[in-house]
Amino acid sequence: MYHVLLPVDIEAKRALSQVDILESLPVDPEEVEVTLLHVYESVDAPADEAGSSVIDEVNESIEELRGIPDSLTDVEARLDALGIAHDRELHVGDAAEAILAVAGDRDVDAIVLGMRKRSPVGKALFGSVSQTVLLNADRPVIVGKPNEDE
Protein backbone atom coordinates (compact mmCIF):
# COMPACT_ATOMS: atom_id res chain seq x y z
CA MET A 1 0.00 0.00 0.00
CA TYR A 2 1.32 3.44 -0.98
CA HIS A 3 0.25 6.00 1.64
CA VAL A 4 0.07 9.63 0.55
CA LEU A 5 -0.60 12.77 2.58
CA LEU A 6 -2.65 15.28 0.64
CA PRO A 7 -2.94 18.63 2.46
CA VAL A 8 -5.96 20.56 1.17
CA ASP A 9 -6.58 24.27 1.62
CA ILE A 10 -9.74 26.15 0.63
CA GLU A 11 -8.94 26.45 -3.08
CA ALA A 12 -10.82 23.64 -4.88
CA LYS A 13 -8.96 23.94 -8.19
CA ARG A 14 -5.59 23.43 -6.52
CA ALA A 15 -6.93 20.60 -4.36
CA LEU A 16 -8.34 18.76 -7.37
CA SER A 17 -5.04 19.24 -9.22
CA GLN A 18 -3.41 17.34 -6.36
CA VAL A 19 -5.73 14.43 -7.16
CA ASP A 20 -4.56 14.70 -10.80
CA ILE A 21 -1.04 14.17 -9.50
CA LEU A 22 -2.20 11.07 -7.60
CA GLU A 23 -3.78 9.73 -10.79
CA SER A 24 -0.48 10.19 -12.64
CA LEU A 25 1.46 8.01 -10.18
CA PRO A 26 2.48 4.64 -11.63
CA VAL A 27 0.46 2.66 -9.09
CA ASP A 28 -2.95 0.98 -9.11
CA PRO A 29 -5.56 3.19 -7.34
CA GLU A 30 -6.47 0.20 -5.18
CA GLU A 31 -2.90 0.24 -3.87
CA VAL A 32 -3.08 3.90 -2.78
CA GLU A 33 -4.29 5.18 0.55
CA VAL A 34 -4.70 8.93 1.07
CA THR A 35 -4.80 10.92 4.27
CA LEU A 36 -6.45 14.25 3.58
CA LEU A 37 -5.38 17.06 5.86
CA HIS A 38 -6.99 20.44 6.29
CA VAL A 39 -5.44 22.93 8.67
CA TYR A 40 -7.55 25.77 10.00
CA GLU A 41 -5.57 28.92 10.69
CA SER A 42 -5.79 29.59 14.38
CA VAL A 43 -7.19 32.83 15.71
CA ASP A 44 -4.35 34.77 17.20
CA ALA A 45 -5.56 37.96 18.80
CA PRO A 46 -4.34 39.88 21.80
CA ALA A 47 -6.14 38.92 24.96
CA ASP A 48 -8.62 41.45 26.27
CA GLU A 49 -10.11 41.61 29.74
CA ALA A 50 -11.72 38.19 29.15
CA GLY A 51 -8.22 36.74 28.86
CA SER A 52 -6.82 34.22 26.45
CA SER A 53 -9.44 31.59 27.36
CA VAL A 54 -11.91 33.13 24.88
CA ILE A 55 -9.37 32.80 22.03
CA ASP A 56 -8.60 29.23 23.14
CA GLU A 57 -12.33 28.38 23.07
CA VAL A 58 -12.67 29.85 19.56
CA ASN A 59 -9.71 27.80 18.33
CA GLU A 60 -11.11 24.63 19.89
CA SER A 61 -14.43 25.08 18.07
CA ILE A 62 -13.03 26.50 14.82
CA GLU A 63 -14.18 23.51 12.75
CA GLU A 64 -17.77 24.12 13.83
CA LEU A 65 -17.44 27.85 13.21
CA ARG A 66 -15.83 27.64 9.77
CA GLY A 67 -17.22 24.31 8.61
CA ILE A 68 -15.60 21.80 6.28
CA PRO A 69 -14.30 23.56 3.15
CA ASP A 70 -15.88 22.64 -0.20
CA SER A 71 -12.41 21.85 -1.52
CA LEU A 72 -12.13 18.98 0.97
CA THR A 73 -15.52 17.49 0.13
CA ASP A 74 -14.77 17.90 -3.62
CA VAL A 75 -11.53 15.93 -3.22
CA GLU A 76 -13.26 13.25 -1.17
CA ALA A 77 -15.91 12.83 -3.89
CA ARG A 78 -13.23 12.59 -6.58
CA LEU A 79 -11.23 10.01 -4.58
CA ASP A 80 -14.42 7.99 -4.07
CA ALA A 81 -15.06 8.06 -7.84
CA LEU A 82 -11.50 6.86 -8.48
CA GLY A 83 -11.77 4.08 -5.90
CA ILE A 84 -8.94 5.50 -3.77
CA ALA A 85 -9.23 4.81 -0.04
CA HIS A 86 -8.96 7.91 2.13
CA ASP A 87 -9.43 9.33 5.56
CA ARG A 88 -9.45 12.87 6.90
CA GLU A 89 -7.58 14.80 9.58
CA LEU A 90 -8.44 18.33 10.67
CA HIS A 91 -5.98 20.48 12.62
CA VAL A 92 -5.76 24.04 13.89
CA GLY A 93 -2.51 26.00 13.75
CA ASP A 94 0.46 26.35 11.45
CA ALA A 95 -0.10 24.49 8.17
CA ALA A 96 3.54 23.54 7.52
CA GLU A 97 4.02 22.23 11.06
CA ALA A 98 0.81 20.20 10.84
CA ILE A 99 1.77 18.72 7.45
CA LEU A 100 5.17 17.63 8.71
CA ALA A 101 3.74 16.27 11.97
CA VAL A 102 0.97 14.26 10.30
CA ALA A 103 3.40 12.94 7.67
CA GLY A 104 5.59 11.61 10.48
CA ASP A 105 2.75 10.36 12.68
CA ARG A 106 1.10 8.52 9.78
CA ASP A 107 4.45 7.45 8.30
CA VAL A 108 3.26 8.37 4.80
CA ASP A 109 5.32 7.44 1.75
CA ALA A 110 4.96 10.88 0.12
CA ILE A 111 3.38 14.29 0.51
CA VAL A 112 1.49 15.74 -2.48
CA LEU A 113 1.34 19.55 -2.48
CA GLY A 114 -0.43 21.91 -4.85
CA MET A 115 1.08 25.23 -5.85
CA ARG A 116 -0.47 28.61 -6.48
CA LYS A 117 0.08 30.49 -9.66
CA ARG A 118 2.77 33.11 -9.01
CA SER A 119 3.80 36.44 -10.40
CA PRO A 120 7.25 36.62 -12.05
CA VAL A 121 8.78 37.71 -8.75
CA GLY A 122 6.83 35.07 -6.82
CA LYS A 123 8.08 32.34 -9.13
CA ALA A 124 11.51 32.68 -7.58
CA LEU A 125 10.13 31.32 -4.30
CA PHE A 126 7.39 28.88 -3.45
CA GLY A 127 4.80 29.83 -0.87
CA SER A 128 6.00 29.71 2.68
CA VAL A 129 4.07 26.51 3.48
CA SER A 130 5.37 24.68 0.41
CA GLN A 131 8.88 25.95 0.97
CA THR A 132 8.89 24.92 4.64
CA VAL A 133 7.57 21.45 3.83
CA LEU A 134 10.07 20.96 0.98
CA LEU A 135 13.00 22.04 3.11
CA ASN A 136 12.05 20.07 6.21
CA ALA A 137 10.29 16.91 5.04
CA ASP A 138 12.06 13.62 5.66
CA ARG A 139 10.17 11.89 2.84
CA PRO A 140 9.43 12.63 -0.84
CA VAL A 141 7.35 15.70 -1.61
CA ILE A 142 5.52 15.81 -4.94
CA VAL A 143 4.61 19.33 -6.04
CA GLY A 144 2.21 20.21 -8.84
CA LYS A 145 0.26 23.18 -10.10
CA PRO A 146 -3.39 23.60 -11.06
CA ASN A 147 -4.35 22.53 -14.58
CA GLU A 148 -4.61 25.68 -16.71
CA ASP A 149 -7.48 24.21 -18.75
CA GLU A 150 -9.87 24.08 -15.79
Side-chain angles (χ1 to χ4, degrees), residues 68-90:
I68 301 298
D70 290 341
S71 57
L72 189 58
T73 55
D74 290 351
V75 167
E76 288 175 324
R78 178 101 176 270
L79 292 173
D80 287 340
L82 293 169
I84 297 176
H86 57 87
D87 64 343
R88 174 199 299 174
E89 281 206 29
L90 302 170

Side-chain angles (χ1 to χ4, degrees), residues 13-74:
K13 185 176 180 180
R14 182 172 44 247
L16 290 171
S17 75
Q18 291 168 260
V19 179
D20 292 340
I21 294 167
L22 284 177
E23 281 188 279
S24 73
L25 295 175
V27 63
D28 185 342
E30 293 179 4
E31 295 298 317
V32 177
E33 176 185 357
V34 174
T35 295
L36 295 168
L37 171 64
H38 179 71
V39 182
Y40 296 96
E41 187 176 330
S42 60
V43 175
D44 187 23
D48 58 10
E49 54 271 352
S52 62
S53 63
V54 172
I55 300 299
D56 293 341
E57 287 177 28
V58 168
N59 284 326
E60 287 174 15
S61 60
I62 206 154
E63 178 186 336
E64 294 170 29
L65 295 170
R66 291 192 182 159
I68 301 298
D70 290 341
S71 57
L72 189 58
T73 55
D74 290 351

Side-chain angles (χ1 to χ4, degrees), residues 101-123:
V102 171
D105 292 347
R106 294 288 191 107
D107 194 27
V108 299
D109 296 300
I111 302 167
V112 175
L113 297 177
M115 289 181 54
R116 291 187 173 105
K117 241 182 167 178
R118 298 279 176 197
S119 66
V121 172
K123 288 179 184 178

